[in-house]
Amino acid sequence: MTDTPQLPAVSREWHLVSRPVGWPQADDFALVEAEVRQPGEGEVLVRNAFLSVDPYMRGRMSAAKSYTAPFELGKTMQGGAVGEVIASGAEGISPGDHVLHFGGWREYATVSAKQAVKVDPAAAPLSTYLGVLGMTGLTAYAGLLRTASFKEGDSVFVSGAAGAVGSQVGQIARLKGASRVVGSAGSDEKVKLLVEEYGFDAAFNYKNGPVAEQLRAAAPDGVDVYFDNVGGDHLEAAIGSLNVNGRIAVCGMISIYNNTEPAPGPKNLARLIQTRGRIEGFLVSDHYDLQQQFVQEVGPWVASGQLKYRETVVEGIENNLEAFFGVLRGDNIGKMIVKL
């Protein structure tokens, strides 16, 4: 193991102390100090530089059975993070290297080298490996191209379109030859961003009127693909505007994550019979085989400026929780990042 002088003794980290009912509250969490564990064989100690907070984390705060294990009470929470290796007990990773890993919600993380991926801060800003070139980017790419079977000439509707995933979905669709790209967002500022910066053909503020009516006005010829980040009235509206052989990829349903009672389903599911439509949910973890293809195709778009991205950056581990709350409220434009 490589010895590095003046390694930290303690790290601040966030624990889940009670399971939220409805909207999470500050007293469901605690910021604590924990001893930093030196890396053993096959491990690395990372000083985190950027942390990710994401909507899916709300589901892990519940004890309900899901596709991934819930956060443990009284234990450090987890999430995507990128940082600098300061001590290593692993072959192939040295102090000074930068890695992407899953030991977020803390200042320092000791993780298995098998679960750490080396990244190059010279090739792209470190924060992008949590967003546009990371899991959120791959989510957009796989969901649109594989799950929704996008093809050139399709008309595409994206909900939550100013978020990290949605903004990338719309731009990839445009770069791949969509006939029309429409997005919904929660503010007039975000609507302007979608059209003027991200190149959407049309966008609307879902708070300004019924989603179904606004979607019909924005996509009068219907939609072939709907990428769902919201659920609820957005999903029902998309089914109502779906063209024959239309496809719906369900990535998330943030509108129901904090519900205390089951949300009612769309009232117009029977329309899928007429349209021969398809709805399919997906998880990015099922599509890691696309990672290399994704980076090869999307990386040059990002480097050339053809695919634009935004980040909302909150500074300080002490503000990690507020950044997460901000994601649930829709405060972020693009990827929500915590900078340490």
Side-chain angles (χ1 to χ4, degrees):
M1 182 171 66
T2 302
D3 291 325
T4 303
Q6 298 180 329
L7 294 180
V10 296
S11 171
R12 288 182 294 172
E13 57 186 42
W14 283 96
H15 288 191
L16 183 68
V17 296
S18 60
R19 300 207 181 276
V21 177
W23 276 86
Q25 303 298 318
D27 57 9
D28 293 321
F29 308 84
L31 181 62
V32 305
E33 286 191 347
E35 182 180 352
V36 174
R37 184 172 63 81
Q38 304 307 304
E41 184 176 353
E43 294 182 323
V44 294
L45 173 60
V46 184
R47 178 193 294 116
N48 286 332
F50 296 95
L51 309 178
S52 177
V53 288
D54 303 279
Y56 80 86
M57 294 174 174
R58 175 62 184 87
R60 295 197 67 189
M61 295 171 189
S62 167
K65 187 176 181 180
S66 185
Y67 59 87
T68 189
F71 291 131
E72 293 184 59
L73 294 180
K75 298 288 184 68
T76 319
M77 294 165 65
Q78 299 168 326
V82 63
E84 181 182 358
V85 174
I86 59 173
S88 176
E91 293 287 336
I93 301 181
S94 304
D97 287 341
H98 290 81
V99 295
L100 174 68
H101 61 94
F102 210 63
W105 289 78
R106 72 202 82 190
E107 292 175 304
Y108 294 87
T110 304
V111 298
S112 168
K114 292 180 180 180
Q115 297 174 344
V117 178
K118 289 172 69 172
V119 297
D120 184 1
L126 277 178
S127 60
T128 63
Y129 294 104
L130 295 175
V132 66
L133 293 178
M135 185 178 71
T136 53
L138 180 60
T139 300
Y141 187 86
L144 177 68
L145 301 183
R146 179 176 279 174
T147 306
S149 305
F150 171 86
K151 61 183 184 298
E152 185 177 354
D154 279 343
S155 173
V156 177
F157 171 43
V158 187
S159 59
V165 173
S167 60
Q168 205 156 340
V169 171
Q171 291 183 85
I172 293 173
R174 176 176 54 79
L175 289 163
K176 286 279 194 179
S179 62
R180 189 167 182 80
V181 179
V182 174
S184 71
S187 73
D188 294 340
E189 176 192 9
K190 291 180 179 180
V191 167
K192 183 178 180 182
L193 174 73
L194 291 176
V195 175
E196 295 185 0
E197 185 166 330
Y198 294 155
F200 282 59
D201 295 290
F204 60 86
N205 182 344
Y206 67 83
K207 297 176 182 177
N208 287 347
V211 174
E213 293 179 12
Q214 294 195 78
L215 178 58
R216 282 194 296 270
D221 295 325
V223 297
D224 301 299
V225 168
Y226 170 49
F227 194 103
D228 190 15
N229 290 306
V230 174
D233 56 356
H234 282 72
L235 177 57
E236 188 167 295
I239 293 172
S241 286
L242 203 64
N243 290 330
V244 172
N245 295 319
R247 290 87 66 203
I248 295 174
V250 181
C251 176
M253 292 190 175
I254 198 169
S255 68
I256 67 170
Y257 287 169
N258 295 304
N259 287 3
T260 56
E261 297 293 335
K267 298 190 294 290
N268 57 350
L269 278 176
R271 193 167 187 277
L272 294 176
I273 302 169
Q274 306 163 25
T275 61
R276 280 77 93 196
R278 169 168 61 85
I279 300 179
E280 182 176 346
F282 75 100
L283 297 175
V284 66
S285 56
D286 295 331
H287 302 283
Y288 285 142
D289 61 297
L290 292 176
Q291 178 70 38
Q292 185 175 0
Q293 176 184 321
F294 159 68
V295 172
Q296 288 176 344
E297 186 164 22
V298 175
W301 287 340
V302 174
S304 68
Q306 289 177 279
L307 194 151
K308 303 179 188 302
Y309 68 94
R310 291 280 194 99
E311 294 174 339
T312 299
V313 180
V314 173
E315 297 206 12
I317 186 72
E318 65 275 8
N319 294 314
N320 216 83
L321 184 59
E322 183 55 33
F324 172 67
F325 289 167
V327 169
L328 296 183
R329 292 191 300 259
D331 294 350
N332 56 303
I333 295 177
K335 183 77 182 78
M336 180 70 88
I337 299 285
V338 178
K339 180 181 180 181
L340 304 188

